[in-house]
Amino acid sequence: MGNISGKNAWTVKIGEKGQFVIPKEARDMFDIHPGDTILVLGDSERGIAIPPKDMMNKYISMIFGEMSIQKEGEDNE
């Protein structure tokens, strides 16, 4: 769709099984290959995000770290 200072947008169609294809340009840009695992994040207000795969461990640690902190706080109540 376009490129403005490193920002890109593509359109994709959702198939009958709820799947979509990540456009080739995006796969090339983010070094995504068949068989790779990606992280999909969802926020009901901000939408869906797929962070770069080299940041996946950081995000997983942040998510589980936050969950651990919340659980500890619940135990103290």
Side-chain angles (χ1 to χ4, degrees), residues 4 8 13 16 19 23 28 30-31 34-35 39-40 43-44 47 50 53 60-65 67-68 76-77:
I4 301 172
N8 295 272
K13 291 188 180 192
E16 291 180 23
Q19 298 170 323
D28 290 346
F30 293 103
D31 194 32
L39 178 65
V40 178
D43 182 295
S44 60
I50 304 172
K53 65 182 180 180
I60 290 172
S61 296
M62 288 170 49
I63 291 166
F64 286 118
M67 289 173 67
S68 181
N76 294 333
E77 292 178 5

Side-chain angles (χ1 to χ4, degrees), residues 5-57:
S5 184
K7 309 289 183 190
N8 295 272
W10 298 276
T11 59
V12 297
K13 291 188 180 192
I14 306 298
E16 291 180 23
K17 295 182 181 181
Q19 298 170 323
F20 68 90
V21 174
I22 299 172
K24 182 180 183 337
E25 297 88 354
R27 294 191 316 266
D28 290 346
M29 179 183 294
F30 293 103
D31 194 32
I32 298 172
H33 303 281
D36 284 354
T37 298
I38 60 172
L39 178 65
V40 178
L41 303 173
D43 182 295
S44 60
E45 293 180 16
R46 298 177 69 189
I48 296 173
I50 304 172
K53 65 182 180 180
D54 61 345
M55 296 183 73
M56 185 167 55
N57 289 336

